[in-house]
Amino acid sequence: MIQILRASDQSKKRGGSVVGHKYICCERRKKGHDRLFVDYFATNPVYSPATFQRHFRMRRHLYLRILNAIEAYDTYFVQKKDATHILELFPLQKMTSAIRMLAHGVAADVVDDYVRIGENTAIESLKHFCNSIIEIFGPEYLRSPITTDIARLLAIG
C-alpha cells in the first residue's frame, strides 16, 4: 500500500496541470501584449519617451537592444508554440515583467495586472533574464575596475 502511494505521489510531480495554478487564456495574453505594444512601442505610443524612461528606468532604444540580445542568446525569450499548439507569451511580455520587478521592486504577482503573465512565469522570466544579462553583458560591464576607472570615478564623485 505504501509503495502504491509513493508511486502515485511521484506521478503527480511530473508535469501537467498544477492544482491551484491559474491558467491565463491565450486571448488574454494577446490582449496584454497588444496593450503593452500600443502603450510603449508603437510608432506613436500612448506614453511619451519620458514616461517610458520613468516606468522602465531606461530609454526605449536601450530596452530594445537588450531585448534583441537576450532573444538571440536564450530561446526562452523566443515566442514558440506550447504542447497544445498555442502561441506562448511574447518576448516583450516576459522581459517587461522582469524589468518591472527589478526596476520597481514589486512582487511577481503584481505584474500580472498589466503584462498579463502569471506569477510563476514572471519568476521564471526574471531568472532567465538575469542569467542572460550576466552572460551577454557580464564580460564588458561586470569586470573589476582598473586604476583609470577608479581615478575617473573619484574625480566625478
Side-chain angles (χ1 to χ4, degrees):
M1 175 95 172
I2 294 173
Q3 291 175 341
I4 294 171
L5 289 174
R6 285 186 185 151
S8 67
D9 288 343
Q10 289 175 352
S11 66
K12 288 181 186 177
K13 294 180 183 178
R14 294 187 187 185
S17 296
V18 179
V19 178
H21 285 214
K22 185 172 65 172
Y23 171 74
I24 298 177
C25 174
C26 59
E27 184 66 27
R28 187 170 175 249
R29 292 178 195 167
K30 175 86 168 93
K31 286 180 182 177
H33 171 266
D34 292 345
R35 184 170 60 181
L36 179 65
F37 185 82
V38 167
D39 285 351
Y40 295 106
F41 300 99
T43 305
N44 295 314
V46 173
Y47 295 109
S48 68
T51 305
F52 183 95
Q53 189 167 353
R54 190 174 70 245
H55 287 181
F56 294 97
R57 308 284 198 250
M58 67 180 79
R59 292 194 174 115
R60 188 167 71 168
H61 70 87
L62 177 60
Y63 182 99
L64 294 173
R65 178 179 172 231
I66 293 170
L67 179 63
N68 290 332
I70 64 171
E71 275 183 296
Y73 177 78
D74 189 350
T75 58
Y76 175 79
F77 288 96
V78 176
Q79 187 183 30
K80 45 196 168 288
K81 292 184 179 183
D82 64 10
T84 60
H85 303 290
I86 296 174
L87 283 175
E88 293 180 347
L89 290 163
F90 291 81
L92 203 58
Q93 288 169 292
K94 292 177 182 178
M95 183 166 149
T96 298
S97 69
I99 292 289
R100 287 246 168 132
M101 286 188 287
L102 290 170
H104 300 289
V106 298
D109 60 343
V110 174
V111 295
D112 176 41
D113 294 338
Y114 184 76
V115 183
R116 307 291 174 130
I117 187 171
E119 180 181 0
N120 289 341
T121 308
I123 293 169
E124 188 177 351
S125 297
L126 179 62
K127 289 178 184 176
H128 279 272
F129 177 78
C130 290
N131 290 334
S132 297
I133 292 298
I134 291 168
E135 290 297 319
I136 297 167
F137 299 106
E140 184 176 353
Y141 295 106
L142 297 179
R143 62 178 173 76
S144 297
I146 55 176
T147 53
T148 56
D149 292 337
I150 295 171
R152 182 178 52 82
L153 291 172
L154 289 173
I156 292 171

